[in-house]
Amino acid sequence: MLKRSAPESQEQPSKRRRPNTSPHITRLSDELLLRIASFLHINDLASCQSVSKRLQRIARDDQIWKALFYARFVRPRASRIPGLARAAPSSLHYSSRNSRWLQDEGLARAAGTKWKELYRLRHNWNRGSCSVSQIIIAENPPLPPPIPPLMIRVYEGLVFTVDPTSGLRIWRLEHKGVPVIGLDLYQGSLEFERYGVPTALAIDEDSDSKQVVNVTVGFENGGFGLYQLDTATESLPKLTFEHSYAGPPPSAGNSSSQRLMITSMAFCSPYLLTMSSSQLLTVYRFSRSADRGSSSTERDFGKDISISDGRMMHAPKILSSLRSHTVWPPLSLSLRRSTQKSMIASIAYAFPLYISGWSVGIQELRFTDDADTVVESRIATAVPTGFTSFGITNFGGSSPVGSPAPPSEGGGGIRSRSKSQQDIGNDTPLAQPSSISYTHPYLLASHADNTLTLYMVKSNAASLSIEPGQRLWGHTSSVSTAQVSGRGKAVSLSKRGSELRVWELEGGVSERRRLNASVKVEPQVSPQADVRSQWGAEDTGCLGGFDEEKVVVLREQDEGRRVLVVYDFTL
C-alpha cells in the first residue's frame, strides 16, 4: 500500500540561530579574571580549565597557585614554629614580596618555578598518593650464601648502588630499569683480596659544583675509595676512580680486619667521617692544592688525588681518631657547616641504661679550616635530669626515657596531660632502636614495637642538649628503618616492607597532632601489574632514601632477587 506523501507546500523548520553575543565574563580583561580566579576553590579552578583555552591559561597562572601553595603548605608550618607562632597574624598572610617562606625561600625567589606542579607534588605527599615502579637489580644470587649486602643512596634524582659483583652503579629514576653508568670498584691498587667487600657508602651533598658529585665507598679492611661523577659532559655522565686509601694498620694484639671494617660514613667536602665496627671514629680532611702541607703524616697516605675540572684534592689527613666503649649500634653520622664558618661532625648513637631500657646520645666535634685538630667536643644525652631507673615518677615530675601507652580517646576526647606526661614517660623502658637517623635538629629512632621516637637537638655556641623524646604511633608492624630530612619530613618502613608512612615533624609534634602526624602511602597499582610486584610473606624491605619527589626502597626476595621499588609522588 502506497503511503501518502506530505504536501509540497509544507515548509521545513529553519535551524535555530545562536545569538552572536559572547558571555559578559569574556569581555573582562585578563587582569580582572585573574583577580576573580584568586578567590576560587581548587575544584573550581580545575573546572575552569575545561571551559576554554583562555580560562585554562588563567586558571594555571603561577601567581594563583603560589598563593594557594603558601596558604596550605607554608603558613601552617610557620604557625607550628615557636618563634613565628606568636607573631602578628598579618605577618603570616600571603604577600608576593614580604611573606615568610621558611625553607621554601629559594623556590619563592627563583624565576620559573612551576607552582601548580609543586602544589600537586606536596598534595600527593600529604595524601600518600603515588605511583609505584620497580627496577630489577639482581635476578639471581650473584654469589653463594651468604649474599653480600647492597648499599643504596639517593641524591638529586639519582640512585647510587654498590655491591662487590656489579660495582658502583648509578641509576636515573626516569630511565626504567637501565643504569646510567657503572664502574668496577676494584681498580689499580684497590684490590678485592686486600680491601674485601664494600660495607659503607657516602655521597658528598655539599659539593662546590653541582655538576660534580663525589662518592666514597668504605671497605671491609677499614679503607675507602673515592669516585667522582661528572654530569657536565654533553653525552653520558662520566664516572671515574680517583683515589684509594688502604686504611689504618691493625693495632697490637688486634690483627683481625673485621675490627677495622667501616660500618658508617658521612662526606661533606673536604671532610670525611667514618665509624668502624670496633667503634673507632675517624675524621679525615682532604687538602686542596693551595692547602697542601708537607707533614709526614700526610705523605704517608700515598699519592695525590687528581680531580677534574682544574681542581686538585690531595691525600686525606687524619684530624682526629676517637674510640668509644659505650656507643652501641645503630648510629648515624653527619657533617654540617655552622654559622661560625666551621665544620661540625656529629655522631648520634644508642646506649643501654642501667638495669633496663635504652636511650640516645649525640657527640659533636667542631673543626675549622685553619686548624688540624678538634677545636671543641661536647656530648649530650636524652636522659633527663633526676632520672631514676626503677620506673617510678610522681605526677608532674620529670619524664625519663620510656614508652607510655597511646593517648586514649572517648569520654570527652583526648585526655589533657601536662608537658612532662606528653613526653616519654616511665611506664615501659624504651627498647633498643632498630635504626637512627639524624639531620639537624631532628633525631629520629625507630623501634620493633611499631613506634618511632622523635628527639629535638638544640645546638648553639653555648650548649648542646637533647629534648625529651616524643613517641609516635601509626605503624601496625615492626619498623625497620626511618629517615628524616632537615626540614622535618620523615619516611619510615616496616620490616616486611608492606607499610610505608610519611611524617611531617617540623617544629616537633604536639599532643594534638601526635596521632595524625603521618599518612600511610597508598600506591596506585594497575590491575595488569606483575604478580611479583606484590610483597610476599618472606620479603624484606630496607629504606634506601628519598628526595622531594620519590622514595626508593630495596626489596629482597627469595633466592637473592633484589628489586628497587620506586614510589613516585609526581603523578
Side-chain angles (χ1 to χ4, degrees):
M1 182 177 178
L2 299 176
K3 295 182 179 180
R4 184 170 54 184
S5 59
E8 298 179 358
S9 60
Q10 184 176 1
E11 297 180 358
Q12 296 293 334
S14 60
K15 293 183 178 180
R16 185 177 180 180
R17 295 184 178 180
R18 295 181 179 179
N20 208 13
T21 59
S22 58
H24 295 288
I25 193 172
T26 60
R27 302 177 183 177
L28 299 178
S29 63
D30 289 350
E31 289 76 10
L32 290 177
L33 290 177
L34 283 173
R35 180 64 176 172
I36 295 173
S38 64
F39 295 98
L40 296 180
H41 190 267
I42 297 178
N43 297 335
D44 298 327
L45 287 174
S47 301
C48 290
Q49 296 182 28
S50 59
V51 175
S52 64
K53 292 184 178 180
R54 184 189 180 194
L55 289 180
Q56 182 186 52
R57 174 173 50 83
I58 292 175
R60 291 182 176 180
D61 188 81
D62 285 335
Q63 290 300 321
I64 295 177
W65 290 97
K66 183 178 181 179
L68 292 173
F69 182 91
Y70 180 85
R72 180 175 179 184
F73 301 113
V74 179
R75 187 166 58 190
R77 289 166 49 202
S79 63
R80 295 195 297 264
I81 298 178
L84 298 178
R86 295 186 294 269
S90 59
S91 63
L92 298 180
H93 290 173
Y94 171 73
S95 173
S96 59
R97 294 184 178 180
N98 300 324
S99 298
R100 300 185 180 184
W101 287 87
L102 305 180
Q103 281 85 356
D104 295 319
E105 186 72 27
L107 295 174
R109 306 308 176 195
T113 302
K114 299 180 180 180
W115 289 102
K116 184 176 183 295
E117 297 180 3
L118 193 59
Y119 183 97
R120 180 175 59 183
L121 177 63
R122 295 285 178 89
H123 173 74
N124 291 337
W125 276 103
N126 286 358
R127 294 184 57 188
S129 301
C130 65
S131 62
V132 62
S133 60
Q134 296 189 88
I135 301 176
I136 299 177
I137 299 295
E139 274 289 357
N140 300 314
L143 293 174
I147 300 175
L150 175 72
M151 276 69 67
I152 301 177
R153 292 294 181 270
V154 179
Y155 176 71
E156 297 292 338
L158 299 174
V159 179
F160 297 78
T161 63
V162 171
D163 63 85
T165 56
S166 302
L168 176 61
R169 289 184 290 177
I170 302 175
W171 311 73
R172 194 179 297 275
L173 297 179
E174 288 77 9
H175 300 172
K176 302 298 183 182
V178 180
V180 176
I181 194 171
L183 184 67
D184 185 14
L185 289 176
Y186 306 100
Q187 299 188 20
S189 60
L190 202 161
E191 301 173 349
F192 176 80
E193 293 77 10
R194 183 182 181 187
Y195 283 77
V197 298
T199 56
L201 174 64
I203 308 296
D204 182 10
E205 301 184 2
D206 194 25
S207 177
D208 297 336
S209 175
K210 294 300 181 181
Q211 298 177 343
V212 176
V213 181
N214 295 322
V215 183
T216 307
V217 179
F219 291 92
E220 190 177 7
N221 74 327
F224 57 84
L226 180 63
Y227 306 83
Q228 188 179 87
L229 174 67
D230 187 2
T231 60
T233 56
E234 297 181 357
S235 55
L236 293 176
K238 183 180 179 182
L239 183 62
T240 57
F241 168 73
E242 299 295 335
H243 180 73
S244 64
Y245 167 55
S251 59
N254 183 19
S255 59
S256 175
S257 61
Q258 294 293 332
R259 303 287 295 174
L260 302 174
M261 180 179 65
I262 295 179
T263 58
S264 183
M265 305 176 73
F267 192 16
C268 184
S269 182
Y271 295 90
L272 176 66
L273 184 64
T274 66
M275 171 64 78
S276 69
S277 56
S278 60
Q279 311 305 330
L280 179 64
L281 181 70
T282 308
V283 183
Y284 301 89
R285 186 176 72 179
F286 296 94
S287 301
R288 304 286 184 183
S289 56
D291 305 329
R292 187 181 181 184
S294 59
S295 63
S296 59
T297 306
E298 184 173 351
R299 287 196 300 267
D300 291 341
F301 283 95
K303 299 179 180 180
D304 298 342
I305 301 176
S306 176
I307 299 242
S308 60
D309 198 20
R311 295 187 301 273
M312 293 291 294
M313 183 179 289
H314 297 280
K317 181 178 183 179
I318 294 181
L319 299 185
S320 180
S321 184
L322 307 174
R323 187 181 300 276
S324 173
H325 299 281
T326 58
V327 173
W328 292 68
L331 52 85
S332 176
L333 303 181
S334 69
L335 288 166
R336 74 178 192 276
R337 300 189 184 278
S338 66
T339 56
Q340 291 84 12
K341 297 182 179 180
S342 60
M343 181 66 68
I344 296 179
S346 304
I347 170 174
Y349 55 91
F351 63 92
L353 298 175
Y354 181 66
I355 296 181
S356 64
W358 288 72
S359 185
V360 297
I362 186 172
Q363 181 173 0
E364 286 187 352
L365 306 175
R366 188 167 65 88
F367 303 89
T368 58
D369 293 338
D370 55 352
D372 292 340
T373 58
V374 179
V375 176
E376 182 183 15
S377 176
R378 51 191 183 178
I379 299 177
T381 67
V383 179
T385 306
F387 170 74
T388 58
S389 60
F390 295 96
I392 302 176
T393 301
N394 296 327
F395 181 81
S398 61
S399 55
V401 176
S403 173
S408 60
E409 299 184 5
I414 299 177
R415 294 178 298 175
S416 61
R417 300 189 296 176
S418 63
K419 177 175 176 54
S420 61
Q421 290 177 305
Q422 293 175 10
D423 298 326
I424 295 177
N426 253 359
D427 301 327
T428 306
L430 188 66
Q432 182 178 6
S434 57
S435 71
I436 289 180
S437 176
Y438 174 63
T439 305
H440 187 75
Y442 303 98
L443 198 162
L444 186 64
S446 61
H447 307 278
D449 59 356
N450 311 353
T451 63
L452 293 90
T453 307
L454 174 65
Y455 303 89
M456 299 298 294
V457 179
K458 291 185 176 181
S459 175
N460 51 44
S463 63
L464 172 67
S465 62
I466 303 178
E467 294 185 352
Q470 297 175 313
R471 210 63 184 271
L472 305 177
W473 297 273
H475 276 275
T476 58
S477 60
S478 173
V479 186
S480 63
T481 51
Q483 294 183 15
V484 62
S485 66
R487 59 180 299 268
K489 178 185 291 184
V491 177
S492 58
L493 181 70
S494 62
K495 184 177 181 180
R496 294 300 179 187
S498 58
E499 185 177 8
L500 183 71
R501 302 192 75 89
V502 178
W503 305 77
E504 289 293 340
L505 307 175
E506 188 171 21
V509 181
S510 62
E511 179 69 13
R512 183 184 61 181
R513 294 198 311 124
R514 187 171 299 188
L515 293 178
N516 300 316
S518 69
V519 59
K520 183 179 179 181
V521 175
E522 299 287 352
Q524 300 180 3
V525 181
S526 61
Q528 293 79 18
D530 189 357
V531 177
R532 293 180 299 178
S533 63
Q534 304 296 329
W535 288 81
E538 301 299 327
D539 296 351
T540 58
C542 178
L543 183 61
F546 67 96
D547 56 14
E548 292 295 330
E549 297 181 353
K550 299 176 179 66
V551 177
V552 179
V553 173
L554 174 63
R555 175 186 174 190
E556 297 187 278
Q557 299 174 298
D558 294 338
E559 300 179 353
R561 189 172 187 264
R562 289 171 170 175
V563 177
L564 288 183
V565 183
V566 181
Y567 298 87
D568 189 356
F569 291 84
T570 60
L571 54 83

PDB file of all heavy atoms in Angstrom, residues 245-258:
ATOM      1  N   TYR A 245      92.461   4.566  49.739  1.00  0.00           N
ATOM      2  CA  TYR A 245      93.225   4.626  50.979  1.00  0.00           C
ATOM      3  C   TYR A 245      93.097   3.271  51.652  1.00  0.00           C
ATOM      4  O   TYR A 245      91.985   2.780  51.890  1.00  0.00           O
ATOM      5  CB  TYR A 245      92.697   5.743  51.878  1.00  0.00           C
ATOM      6  CG  TYR A 245      93.207   5.683  53.294  1.00  0.00           C
ATOM      7  CD1 TYR A 245      94.559   5.653  53.571  1.00  0.00           C
ATOM      8  CD2 TYR A 245      92.327   5.660  54.368  1.00  0.00           C
ATOM      9  CE1 TYR A 245      95.031   5.589  54.865  1.00  0.00           C
ATOM     10  CE2 TYR A 245      92.778   5.612  55.670  1.00  0.00           C
ATOM     11  CZ  TYR A 245      94.133   5.571  55.908  1.00  0.00           C
ATOM     12  OH  TYR A 245      94.596   5.508  57.202  1.00  0.00           O
ATOM     13  N   ALA A 246      94.202   2.636  51.967  1.00  0.00           N
ATOM     14  CA  ALA A 246      94.205   1.251  52.435  1.00  0.00           C
ATOM     15  C   ALA A 246      93.726   1.090  53.862  1.00  0.00           C
ATOM     16  O   ALA A 246      93.558  -0.039  54.317  1.00  0.00           O
ATOM     17  CB  ALA A 246      95.612   0.667  52.302  1.00  0.00           C
ATOM     18  N   GLY A 247      93.504   2.158  54.598  1.00  0.00           N
ATOM     19  CA  GLY A 247      93.028   2.046  55.956  1.00  0.00           C
ATOM     20  C   GLY A 247      94.139   2.035  56.973  1.00  0.00           C
ATOM     21  O   GLY A 247      95.310   1.777  56.655  1.00  0.00           O
ATOM     22  N   PRO A 248      93.820   2.291  58.235  1.00  0.00           N
ATOM     23  CA  PRO A 248      94.846   2.318  59.277  1.00  0.00           C
ATOM     24  C   PRO A 248      95.383   0.926  59.546  1.00  0.00           C
ATOM     25  O   PRO A 248      94.674  -0.070  59.394  1.00  0.00           O
ATOM     26  CB  PRO A 248      94.100   2.875  60.499  1.00  0.00           C
ATOM     27  CG  PRO A 248      92.670   2.496  60.255  1.00  0.00           C
ATOM     28  CD  PRO A 248      92.474   2.555  58.770  1.00  0.00           C
ATOM     29  N   PRO A 249      96.625   0.788  59.956  1.00  0.00           N
ATOM     30  CA  PRO A 249      97.182  -0.533  60.269  1.00  0.00           C
ATOM     31  C   PRO A 249      96.547  -1.090  61.533  1.00  0.00           C
ATOM     32  O   PRO A 249      96.159  -0.344  62.440  1.00  0.00           O
ATOM     33  CB  PRO A 249      98.672  -0.246  60.474  1.00  0.00           C
ATOM     34  CG  PRO A 249      98.725   1.194  60.883  1.00  0.00           C
ATOM     35  CD  PRO A 249      97.616   1.873  60.149  1.00  0.00           C
ATOM     36  N   PRO A 250      96.384  -2.416  61.624  1.00  0.00           N
ATOM     37  CA  PRO A 250      95.812  -3.017  62.837  1.00  0.00           C
ATOM     38  C   PRO A 250      96.670  -2.715  64.054  1.00  0.00           C
ATOM     39  O   PRO A 250      97.895  -2.657  63.985  1.00  0.00           O
ATOM     40  CB  PRO A 250      95.794  -4.519  62.511  1.00  0.00           C
ATOM     41  CG  PRO A 250      95.906  -4.596  61.017  1.00  0.00           C
ATOM     42  CD  PRO A 250      96.724  -3.406  60.615  1.00  0.00           C
ATOM     43  N   SER A 251      96.001  -2.519  65.176  1.00  0.00           N
ATOM     44  CA  SER A 251      96.703  -2.245  66.419  1.00  0.00           C
ATOM     45  C   SER A 251      97.307  -3.522  66.980  1.00  0.00           C
ATOM     46  O   SER A 251      96.995  -4.639  66.565  1.00  0.00           O
ATOM     47  CB  SER A 251      95.735  -1.624  67.441  1.00  0.00           C
ATOM     48  OG  SER A 251      94.652  -2.501  67.684  1.00  0.00           O
ATOM     49  N   ALA A 252      98.197  -3.367  67.936  1.00  0.00           N
ATOM     50  CA  ALA A 252      98.870  -4.517  68.539  1.00  0.00           C
ATOM     51  C   ALA A 252      97.868  -5.408  69.249  1.00  0.00           C
ATOM     52  O   ALA A 252      97.030  -4.947  70.017  1.00  0.00           O
ATOM     53  CB  ALA A 252      99.941  -4.032  69.516  1.00  0.00           C
ATOM     54  N   GLY A 253      97.942  -6.684  68.973  1.00  0.00           N
ATOM     55  CA  GLY A 253      97.035  -7.634  69.603  1.00  0.00           C
ATOM     56  C   GLY A 253      95.681  -7.688  68.957  1.00  0.00           C
ATOM     57  O   GLY A 253      94.791  -8.374  69.456  1.00  0.00           O
ATOM     58  N   ASN A 254      95.470  -6.970  67.872  1.00  0.00           N
ATOM     59  CA  ASN A 254      94.180  -6.962  67.198  1.00  0.00           C
ATOM     60  C   ASN A 254      94.430  -6.931  65.701  1.00  0.00           C
ATOM     61  O   ASN A 254      94.346  -5.911  65.059  1.00  0.00           O
ATOM     62  CB  ASN A 254      93.347  -5.755  67.632  1.00  0.00           C
ATOM     63  CG  ASN A 254      91.956  -5.755  67.001  1.00  0.00           C
ATOM     64  OD1 ASN A 254      91.483  -6.788  66.536  1.00  0.00           O
ATOM     65  ND2 ASN A 254      91.334  -4.601  67.000  1.00  0.00           N
ATOM     66  N   SER A 255      94.795  -8.057  65.155  1.00  0.00           N
ATOM     67  CA  SER A 255      95.138  -8.132  63.741  1.00  0.00           C
ATOM     68  C   SER A 255      93.951  -8.444  62.848  1.00  0.00           C
ATOM     69  O   SER A 255      94.093  -8.472  61.628  1.00  0.00           O
ATOM     70  CB  SER A 255      96.204  -9.211  63.530  1.00  0.00           C
ATOM     71  OG  SER A 255      95.717 -10.475  63.978  1.00  0.00           O
ATOM     72  N   SER A 256      92.789  -8.665  63.413  1.00  0.00           N
ATOM     73  CA  SER A 256      91.621  -9.014  62.611  1.00  0.00           C
ATOM     74  C   SER A 256      91.129  -7.793  61.850  1.00  0.00           C
ATOM     75  O   SER A 256      90.932  -6.716  62.413  1.00  0.00           O
ATOM     76  CB  SER A 256      90.507  -9.546  63.519  1.00  0.00           C
ATOM     77  OG  SER A 256      89.332  -9.781  62.768  1.00  0.00           O
ATOM     78  N   SER A 257      90.917  -7.980  60.528  1.00  0.00           N
ATOM     79  CA  SER A 257      90.408  -6.868  59.715  1.00  0.00           C
ATOM     80  C   SER A 257      88.949  -6.577  60.000  1.00  0.00           C
ATOM     81  O   SER A 257      88.461  -5.494  59.671  1.00  0.00           O
ATOM     82  CB  SER A 257      90.586  -7.198  58.223  1.00  0.00           C
ATOM     83  OG  SER A 257      89.842  -8.372  57.884  1.00  0.00           O
ATOM     84  N   GLN A 258      88.227  -7.551  60.611  1.00  0.00           N
ATOM     85  CA  GLN A 258      86.824  -7.305  60.918  1.00  0.00           C
ATOM     86  C   GLN A 258      86.661  -6.176  61.930  1.00  0.00           C
ATOM     87  O   GLN A 258      85.635  -5.503  61.946  1.00  0.00           O
ATOM     88  CB  GLN A 258      86.180  -8.591  61.458  1.00  0.00           C
ATOM     89  CG  GLN A 258      86.093  -9.718  60.441  1.00  0.00           C
ATOM     90  CD  GLN A 258      85.136  -9.409  59.317  1.00  0.00           C
ATOM     91  OE1 GLN A 258      84.179  -8.665  59.492  1.00  0.00           O
ATOM     92  NE2 GLN A 258      85.395  -9.969  58.143  1.00  0.00           N
TER      93      GLN A 258
END
